[in-house]
Amino acid sequence: MTEQAIIKQIGKTAEIDFQKPKAIGSAGFYLKSFKAKNSESKILKLDSKCNFEKRTGGILLRSNYSNKLTAIPIPKESIIGITITRGKETIEPFLLSPMWILLKFGVSKLYARYFKILISEYSIDQMELNLKTDEYEMNFIANGYLFERQLTFFENLNYENKLKRK
């Protein structure tokens, strides 16, 4: 799909406000399921690496599978719902570890988790993203450490009534 065709459907790339910068693209997701409601729609390969790009009239899904690139424009009005689910966290720092000390001083677990010594001190399962549109239903997974950044990206799309967080 050409850039001109994408611009006709969902507009140009969102402008960056340098006074209050916000992300205009997501980190990488992996596609785990894809259902198209009509047979002539594009079909994406499972396990393809995907990311989203904020556009003025919707979002652009970019997919890469074995260096075969696919772009699917998703107009804002066709989005039925976006559900982002945080993975299960396990926080078990051992006594006097750097992570334990930081948590005792009131440092957020989001920062303290980077000071773990043993893998068993902190772990988070992968996050899941479900996107439903008029034409598609897709499920994605990504690293659980990226949840807050991804949540911020989807909140900045201003699809308040369509975004659900679990």
Side-chain angles (χ1 to χ4, degrees):
M1 179 171 267
T2 66
E3 183 66 22
Q4 293 302 325
I6 293 170
I7 289 172
K8 282 182 183 178
Q9 289 185 2
I10 58 172
K12 294 182 180 182
T13 304
E15 295 291 321
I16 299 174
D17 179 9
F18 291 105
Q19 299 294 324
K20 297 178 185 175
K22 295 180 181 176
I24 59 169
S26 72
F29 286 92
Y30 288 96
L31 182 68
K32 287 300 165 187
S33 73
F34 181 83
K35 295 176 190 165
K37 295 198 174 151
N38 60 33
S39 58
E40 60 238 20
S41 295
K42 288 185 180 176
I43 302 296
L44 297 178
K45 300 273 189 189
L46 296 183
D47 293 324
S48 53
K49 178 101 175 183
C50 301
N51 34 355
F52 296 94
E53 182 181 315
K54 184 178 180 181
R55 295 291 183 128
T56 54
I59 55 177
L60 179 66
L61 170 63
R62 293 193 185 267
S63 170
N64 183 355
Y65 186 80
S66 296
N67 288 333
K68 183 180 180 219
L69 303 174
T70 308
I72 297 179
I74 304 171
K76 183 177 184 175
E77 33 315 317
S78 75
I79 296 174
I80 296 169
I82 300 171
T83 306
I84 187 165
T85 307
R86 181 186 192 97
K88 181 181 178 265
E89 280 184 305
T90 305
I91 304 171
E92 297 174 352
F94 64 89
L95 188 63
L96 299 177
S97 74
M99 183 177 171
W100 182 85
I101 293 168
L102 290 171
L103 290 171
K104 288 298 176 189
F105 280 122
V107 173
S108 167
K109 67 182 176 187
L110 299 178
Y111 297 107
R113 68 186 180 185
Y114 292 105
F115 294 92
K116 67 182 181 183
I117 293 176
L118 301 175
I119 294 173
S120 63
E121 285 187 85
Y122 180 88
S123 66
I124 184 168
D125 292 338
Q126 61 198 13
M127 71 171 162
E128 297 177 8
L129 176 75
N130 177 275
L131 175 65
K132 281 187 179 180
T133 69
D134 293 338
E135 296 182 42
Y136 309 106
E137 184 172 342
M138 299 173 265
N139 290 308
F140 303 90
I141 60 168
N143 186 333
Y145 276 85
L146 303 174
F147 178 80
E148 285 74 21
R149 193 174 346 149
Q150 296 309 306
L151 182 61
T152 302
F153 169 74
F154 286 106
E155 286 175 341
N156 288 336
L157 293 175
N158 297 323
Y159 301 165
E160 298 88 14
N161 56 345
K162 298 178 182 182
L163 179 65
K164 293 181 187 106
R165 176 184 178 212
K166 290 185 180 180

